[in-house]
Amino acid sequence: MEQRPGGRSARVGDAVRQATLAELAEHGYNGLTVENVAIRSGVHKTTVYRRWGSVEGLIADALDLAREEPWPIPDTGSFQDDLREIVGLVRSGFADPVAGKISAAFVTAAVQNSSAARFLHDYFMARHEQAAEVVRRAVERGEVPADTDGVEVIRMAVAPIYYRLFITHEPVTERDAVRAADAAAAAARAGVI
């Protein structure tokens, strides 16, 4: 028998993913349990264990789904302004009361679990590759050297945000975000990246 797209399996998957995200937003990674996801999703606990195996499986599935979602890549006509918008998106994403808690939970999971770390790595690589489009356009406009590594520019631009959030636990101001983007833009223009 052929499985119908959008059938029961897809509904179960969607319900469990939504429950996982809701649990992460409310309780963080350390409070995430298969049992609570099962209760919240209305899916029997044995089904969740059979299909996802563990909390790490739930995290991996949610990150895999998020990796496929398109990211709004700015196109202001200016390399520096595009970088500022990208870093601003990261900053505002973590400042969001729901999305920020989920994103922080993913990072926490990656620190504590090697499987989650692999999925978070894949997620970031997909995001960085998407965002590197602003560097490709900057090369075409002659704003940065042709051999500029777009993924590394994006990493350099967003790294100070993650450092403040997860290492020093400092707030990230708009000025901090602009400074991080401008530093990456200057390094790219100088041919450092």
Side-chain angles (χ1 to χ4, degrees), residues 117-182:
R118 282 190 303 278
F119 278 93
L120 187 63
H121 172 267
D122 293 346
Y123 168 81
F124 277 129
M125 287 310 298
R127 284 292 193 245
H128 293 162
E129 186 55 45
Q130 288 174 11
E133 178 60 29
V134 303
V135 179
R136 289 187 281 277
R137 290 192 304 248
V139 167
E140 290 171 6
R141 291 189 300 258
E143 294 179 85
V144 296
D147 64 347
T148 302
D149 185 330
V151 169
E152 286 303 315
V153 171
I154 301 305
R155 281 184 178 170
M156 180 180 252
V158 300
I161 305 308
Y162 286 90
Y163 182 84
R164 284 178 173 269
L165 289 171
F166 296 104
I167 304 300
T168 62
H169 301 281
E170 297 175 77
V172 181
T173 67
E174 186 175 339
R175 177 67 192 126
D176 296 325
V178 167
R179 189 177 359 207
D182 289 356

